């Protein structure tokens, strides 16, 4: 597998170091270099590299903006972000921009080679030090999405909805939460209205589908 590479970094010494490293491997060919976003786009269109090693901090447009433009212009080119900073927001901005890889400059040479090979095959690659951050952010995003399904309900309505999923009648729910049966009936009507549902069965299915028990546990932690 022959991989043609464009190096983008505003520090010449970094580009020279990367070029010297990659020259040890016959299946890598550094075909061009660039020191800013505009030059990176021009060199991409001119040389059509397989993989770009992109520094995030560039003068003018940063590496994320450059990546977005490059991917929009030539989506078959893969981009690895190479940075000194393990910043969560920057990481996710880079992924959103279309980067296929994100590695820290502290990475060992063998790991960088593997990252280039992985991305060159069309796969994605994250520095192992960042993988846990990605999973954590994904879990947090999923949790926020689930929270939105119940955002309109009060805490008491949530409790009653959870009891509906247990198949309890209004009378049984009333005994459980120490309210009158009429009050529980009013709560159930309010729940159905807020969730735009027509029956208790639909409410129970909705609550289970959107993991109401996990939502209640998270809201109490």
């Amino acid at each position: 597998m022959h991989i043609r590479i464009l190096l983008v970094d505003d520090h010449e010494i970094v580009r020279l170091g990367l070029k010297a490293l990659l020259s040890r491997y016959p299946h890598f060919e550094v075909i061009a270099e660039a020191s800013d976003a505009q030059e990176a786009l021009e060199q991409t269109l001119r040389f059509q590299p397989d993989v770009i090693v992109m520094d995030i901090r560039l003068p003018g447009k940063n590496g994320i903006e450059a990546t977005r433009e490059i991917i929009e212009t030539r989506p078959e080119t893969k981009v690895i972000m190479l940075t000194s900073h393990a910043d969560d927001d920057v990481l996710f901005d880079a992924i959103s921009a279309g980067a296929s890889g994100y590695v820290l400059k502290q990475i060992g040479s063998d790991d960088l080679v593997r990252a280039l090979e992985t991305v060159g095959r069309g796969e994605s690659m994250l520095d192992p030090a960042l993988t846990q951050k990605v999973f954590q952010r994904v879990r947090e995003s999923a949790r926020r999405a689930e929270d939105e399904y119940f955002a309109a309900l009060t805490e008491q309505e949530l409790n009653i909805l959870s009891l509906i999923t247990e198949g309890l009648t209004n009378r049984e729910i009333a005994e459980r939460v120490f309210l009158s049966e009429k009050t529980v009936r009013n709560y159930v009507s309010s729940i159905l209205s807020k969730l735009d549902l027509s029956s208790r069965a639909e409410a129970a299915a909705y609550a289970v589908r959107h993991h109401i028990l996990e939502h209640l546990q998270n809201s109490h932690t």
Side-chain angles (χ1 to χ4, degrees), residues 5 7 9 11-25 28 30 33 53 82 105 107-109 112-113 116:
I5 299 168
L7 301 178
D9 197 296
H11 293 99
E12 183 183 17
I13 193 70
V14 174
R15 299 197 306 272
L16 288 172
L18 287 170
K19 193 171 184 178
L21 167 65
L22 298 176
S23 67
R24 303 177 194 169
Y25 301 87
F28 291 149
V30 176
E33 300 175 32
V53 179
L82 187 62
K105 284 185 176 178
I107 193 172
S109 58
L112 178 59
V113 167
L116 283 164

Side-chain angles (χ1 to χ4, degrees), residues 33-50:
E33 300 175 32
S35 59
D36 59 39
Q38 183 59 39
E39 190 179 7
L41 180 59
E42 292 170 358
Q43 298 289 57
T44 298
L45 295 176
R46 180 180 177 186
F47 292 101
Q48 300 184 353
D50 301 311

Side-chain angles (χ1 to χ4, degrees), residues 143 147 211-221:
R143 180 183 296 179
D147 288 348
H211 312 290
I212 190 171
L213 294 181
E214 290 180 22
H215 174 80
L216 286 171
Q217 289 172 357
N218 291 332
S219 64
H220 291 148
T221 57

Side-chain angles (χ1 to χ4, degrees), residues 48-51 70-71 73-79 119:
Q48 300 184 353
D50 301 311
V51 178
I70 287 169
I71 297 301
T73 306
R74 193 172 189 275
E76 59 268 42
T77 295
K78 308 302 179 185
V79 179
V119 171

Side-chain angles (χ1 to χ4, degrees), residues 8 37 39-40 44-45 51 57 59 63 73-74 76 80-81 100-101 122-123 141 149 155 158 169 195 202 204 206 212:
V8 183
E39 190 179 7
T44 298
L45 295 176
V51 178
R57 298 188 183 279
T73 306
R74 193 172 189 275
E76 59 268 42
I80 289 181
M81 311 304 295
S100 298
E123 302 171 22
S141 297
Y149 289 115
E155 185 174 352
L158 279 169
T169 65
L195 298 181
E202 283 187 11
Y206 179 97
I212 190 171

